[in-house]
Amino acid sequence: MRIVIVDDSGARASVLEEGLREAGYDDIHFVPPRGAFVARIERMAPDVVLMDLGSPSRDTLEEMLLVSRALAKPIAMFVDQSDDMMIGAAIDAGVSAYVVDGLRKDRVRPILELAVRRFTAFSRMQSELDEARAALANRKTIDKAKAILMAQRGLNEADAYALLRSTAMNQGRRLVDVAEALITASSLLGGGNT
């Protein structure tokens, strides 16, 4: 597992490194939060990012949260102090573990594992949500195409669906693609149910 530590403090970074090495991780890289560090992190293609911010200013925190959004990887963030606004911003940005005043080497491994598990669970839920949204959009498109066939050809709903389905099978296309083509054609021809 490739781990990138974003840290400006050598002493604090060494605590993270010790905890990681004791836990059996050895592909560890350090990136100071300066310059084009987000691009450097992306090129490294880490599996996990650990951000040690100490007592971050609002600007520093916002910059780190941009990293979280850009990378789409498990991220654990360590801070010395926090407030509700900072916690909310971190959660909204997709930080998987947000640890306040808890930088100890014996806590690094469980926090890393938590970040990976939470990221995986969130990614799975996001994929399921995206699939459900796509299925709903497809269903609406198919229903609209059925309505056009019902109005223009006098078919009942079952027959309209059967016609769409057989056309899709005969053309080797997805049902939703045939439905979209029908909706477009009807619109171009001035159909009434578009």
Side-chain angles (χ1 to χ4, degrees), residues 5 14 25 60 131 145 154 163 179:
I5 298 173
S14 66
Y25 300 104
T60 302
E131 287 172 16
L163 180 58

Side-chain angles (χ1 to χ4, degrees), residues 4 8-10 14 34 46 52 55 59 75 81 85 87 102 108 111 135 138 141-142 163 167-168 180 182:
V4 169
D8 222 356
S9 160
S14 66
R34 292 186 295 274
D52 180 23
S55 299
D59 291 341
I75 294 179
Q81 300 171 355
M85 197 163 129
I87 293 169
V108 173
I111 290 169
N138 289 347
T141 300
I142 292 166
L163 180 58
T167 301
E180 286 173 349
L182 176 65

